[in-house]
Amino acid sequence: MELYIDTANLDEIKQAHDLGVLDGVTTNPSLIAAEGVDYGKRLKEICDVVSGPVSAEVIAIDYDGMMKEGHERAQIAENIVVKLPTTMAGLKACNALSNEGIRTNMTLCFQPLQALMVAKAGAFLVSPFIGRLDDIGHDGMDIIHQIRQVYDTYGFQTKLLAASIRHTKHMVDCALAGADVATVPFNVIQKMLAHPLTSSGLEKFVSDYKKAFG
Ligand code: E4P
């Protein structure tokens, strides 16, 4: 499973990149707003650090606006993936940009038929949001299993990117369900390496050694 970081914070992106296991980055307008920085400038800074796919979302919600912003975002760097909402206009823009060779990430996907449609339109990535489905009382993991089954049945090449991941249990379940990619906040990446027995075991190894040899 590929690992992306879901943030627009440059320091977190650098720290995750330094671990040597980061495959890409996803951003969205809310994440950029939280940083209070210019979207285009920050995307360029991110692409200078990470060579894998960097998702850059459009703000427009109409077809012409999405195409204009999509072209602008795609100019920033070769590894930019244009992120579009899964709507009628977004689907049309996905198809047009994909036909031009610009990779797309279809976001705000909440049911398997949306994933079927964006795969038919040529999307590079589809982003089902697990946490936000959990928030309204659904089991967000259901959609990951359903999309995996649909994509495998018909041989769609669109990558299944599990998004809106809130904790490590989501990560375990995504890996078991066969998600191609998971995009994760930095705090979850840190927790993926943590276990109390690792900490206590390490402490004991070091103290036993020091007791014996000083
Ligand atoms: C994905 O691309 C989105 O940026 C993200 O995963 C949304 O997560 P949230 O529901 O925690 O805001």
Side-chain angles (χ1 to χ4, degrees):
M1 185 168 68
E2 291 180 44
L3 178 69
Y4 291 5
I5 187 167
D6 191 33
T7 184
N9 183 288
L10 203 55
D11 185 51
E12 289 182 349
I13 291 168
K14 284 179 180 164
Q15 286 189 63
H17 176 259
D18 286 349
L19 293 173
V21 294
L22 189 68
D23 298 296
V25 179
T26 52
T27 64
N28 66 40
S30 303
L31 293 171
I32 285 285
E35 295 297 311
V37 292
D38 175 77
Y39 205 164
K41 186 167 174 281
R42 179 49 53 93
L43 287 168
K44 177 79 181 72
E45 290 169 335
I46 295 171
C47 292
D48 286 343
V49 176
V50 177
S51 59
V54 173
S55 287
E57 191 157 343
V58 298
I59 310 295
I61 57 170
D62 64 295
Y63 172 76
D64 290 336
M66 285 188 212
M67 290 300 288
K68 181 175 175 292
E69 284 180 35
H71 286 132
E72 286 165 4
R73 302 259 193 265
Q75 288 300 313
I76 294 172
E78 274 189 1
N79 52 329
I80 287 284
V81 173
V82 176
K83 201 171 176 192
L84 302 161
T86 306
T87 58
M88 300 270 264
L91 190 78
K92 204 173 145 190
C94 169
N95 190 236
L97 292 170
S98 303
N99 285 338
E100 292 176 28
I102 295 173
R103 294 181 298 178
T104 58
N105 173 359
M106 300 307 287
T107 192
L108 294 169
C109 172
F110 293 98
Q111 52 113 329
L113 294 179
Q114 289 177 310
L116 175 73
M117 294 292 266
V118 304
K120 287 174 70 68
F124 171 62
L125 294 162
V126 64
S127 293
F129 279 33
I130 302 172
R132 292 191 195 189
L133 281 167
D134 289 352
D135 288 346
I136 59 161
H138 292 240
D139 182 348
M141 279 310 300
D142 286 348
I143 190 174
I144 303 298
H145 289 285
Q146 289 166 342
I147 297 172
R148 181 73 283 152
Q149 192 176 337
V150 170
Y151 280 13
D152 288 350
T153 299
Y154 295 105
F156 287 124
Q157 295 303 301
T158 302
K159 286 189 181 189
L160 170 46
L161 186 166
S164 188
I165 285 179
R166 305 276 170 77
H167 47 69
T168 49
K169 175 77 164 63
H170 277 156
M171 286 300 283
V172 174
D173 291 344
C174 283
L176 292 172
D180 297 304
V181 191
T183 190
V184 194
F186 186 58
N187 74 83
V188 177
I189 293 181
Q190 288 172 309
K191 286 177 190 152
M192 285 170 70
L193 280 171
H195 194 282
L197 290 179
T198 305
S199 310
S200 59
L202 181 61
E203 211 172 288
K204 183 149 178 20
F205 282 156
V206 172
S207 75
D208 286 350
Y209 188 87
K210 280 186 178 164
K211 258 184 243 157
F213 302 111

